[in-house]
């Protein structure tokens, strides 16, 4: 059975689309989480004061940098300020949304996956009723080519992690703890916090265990069709010697 991937762009009343129209050098990428949106804004040009003011009004700025490479901003915004989500329309027509939504030069760009080409056509007719739509591509794809990114929503990966565990994981990552060679030891990380080394290590280990456990089901999906054994796990001499 074939799957169908469709990419298209639309125009309608949307604040992010309108910002991208006013600032054609800007690209906005949008991800939906359970109770908010995460927006990544990039520009190869130095931002104007007007653009920076509009970005500040979008929501909480999590990261912002302006250098020779241009502008890079990550913000978190509340879903409550948005109109009824277009994603609901995708679901009504049995089409699976493939994030992120991309806003560029006054257009909203979307990609969806469907099991029936008729569902894609019905979705397009629905969207044409109240907005301008431009179909960019519509292709049949094999099931084994299904993008892995659609299998792993970000909020599922971090499910059940506490605020302290998330903070410990992020601090370790940003301090180079996972680099080779390590940029910092556990002792050095803990000394920069207000908690004991044993407490910091407990937060970090629990965060790692939960993250890998949550990622496990997606890892199994990604590798389910693999037929090779790059590590020589099956029938390796070491495995045979242990068995003996």
């Amino acid at each position: 059975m074939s799957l169908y991937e469709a990419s298209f762009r639309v125009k309608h009343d949307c604040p992010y689309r309108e910002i991208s129209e006013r600032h054609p050098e800007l690209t906005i990428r949008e991800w939906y989480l359970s109770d908010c949106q995460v927006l990544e804004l990039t520009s190869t040009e130095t931002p104007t004061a007007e653009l920076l003011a509009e970005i500040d009004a979008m929501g909480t700025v999590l990261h912002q940098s302006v250098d020779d490479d241009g502008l890079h901003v990550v913000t978190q915004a509340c879903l409550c300020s948005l109109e009824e989500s277009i994603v609901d329309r995708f679901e009504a027509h049995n089409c699976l949304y493939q994030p992120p939504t991309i806003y560029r030069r006054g257009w909203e760009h979307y990609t969806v996956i469907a099991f029936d080409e008729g569902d894609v056509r019905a979705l397009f007719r629905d969207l044409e009723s109240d907005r301008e739509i431009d179909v960019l591509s519509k292709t049949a794809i094999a099931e084994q080519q299904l993008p892995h990114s659609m299998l792993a929503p970000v909020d599922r990966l971090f499910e059940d992690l506490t605020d302290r565990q998330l903070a410990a994981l992020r601090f370790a990552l940003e301090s180079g703890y996972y680099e080779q060679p390590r940029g910092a030891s556990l002792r050095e990380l803990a000394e920069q916090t207000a908690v004991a080394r044993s407490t910091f290590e407990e937060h970090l280990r629990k965060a790692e265990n939960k993250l890998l456990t949550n990622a496990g089901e997606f890892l199994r999906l990604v590798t389910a069709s693999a037929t090779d054994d790059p590590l020589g796990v099956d029938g390796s001499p070491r495995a045979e010697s242990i068995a003996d």
Side-chain angles (χ1 to χ4, degrees):
M1 178 175 60
S2 293
L3 296 169
Y4 296 88
E5 181 181 73
S7 295
F8 55 95
R9 59 185 187 175
V10 300
K11 281 188 177 182
H12 74 122
D13 293 335
C14 171
Y16 303 148
R17 184 201 66 77
E18 292 163 2
I19 289 175
S20 74
E21 189 169 41
R22 289 193 296 272
H23 304 279
E25 76 283 2
L26 183 69
T27 297
I28 304 174
R29 294 176 177 84
E30 174 187 39
W31 286 266
Y32 294 96
L33 300 184
S34 58
D35 59 352
C36 68
Q37 304 159 287
V38 173
L39 305 170
E40 181 185 31
L41 302 95
T42 57
S43 173
T44 56
E45 298 182 12
T46 302
T48 63
E50 177 189 2
L51 174 56
L52 292 176
E54 292 193 62
I55 291 174
D56 286 339
M58 285 183 177
T60 302
V61 175
L62 305 177
H63 165 83
Q64 180 171 312
S65 63
V66 181
D67 52 31
D68 293 340
D69 294 325
L71 170 73
H72 183 244
V73 179
V74 178
T75 70
Q76 178 178 307
C78 176
L79 287 174
C80 59
S81 62
L82 296 181
E83 65 160 10
E84 181 181 354
S85 174
I86 192 174
V87 177
D88 293 337
R89 293 204 195 185
F90 299 162
E91 295 176 353
H93 292 284
N94 302 313
C95 294
L96 186 60
Y97 166 61
Q98 177 72 22
T101 301
I102 299 175
Y103 302 88
R104 184 184 297 123
R105 295 182 179 274
W107 288 92
E108 300 174 31
H109 294 252
Y110 294 95
T111 297
V112 297
I113 303 289
F115 289 95
D116 189 324
E117 188 177 10
D119 288 332
V120 177
R121 290 196 298 267
L123 171 64
F124 289 163
R125 288 194 299 269
D126 184 3
L127 295 176
E128 286 171 350
S129 66
D130 61 358
R131 63 196 70 197
E132 182 180 350
I133 179 171
D134 180 19
V135 179
L136 303 175
S137 67
K138 187 173 64 175
T139 58
I141 59 176
E143 287 184 76
Q144 60 267 28
Q145 295 176 326
L146 196 64
H148 296 145
S149 59
M150 69 183 295
L151 301 174
V154 173
D155 56 341
R156 289 282 303 280
L157 290 177
F158 296 98
E159 200 169 44
D160 299 328
L161 272 73
T162 67
D163 289 344
R164 289 187 176 184
Q165 290 164 7
L166 285 170
L169 190 64
R170 177 176 176 177
F171 181 49
L173 179 65
E174 294 180 346
S175 300
Y177 177 72
Y178 295 104
E179 297 174 2
Q180 292 294 334
R182 292 192 190 278
S185 66
L186 275 174
R187 177 182 57 79
E188 291 169 333
L189 293 177
E191 287 176 349
Q192 299 179 62
T193 71
V195 299
R197 174 180 173 178
S198 59
T199 302
F200 177 82
E201 183 173 3
E202 180 182 8
H203 290 323
L204 186 61
R205 296 300 174 231
K206 285 185 176 180
E208 293 170 341
N209 289 337
K210 289 179 181 179
L211 180 61
L212 288 174
T213 299
N214 292 342
E217 69 175 282
F218 304 113
L219 177 61
R220 285 186 284 272
L221 285 170
V222 168
T223 59
S225 59
T227 57
D228 57 347
D229 183 18
L231 296 179
V233 175
D234 296 330
S236 65
R238 185 171 184 273
E240 292 173 359
S241 64
I242 292 175
D244 290 341

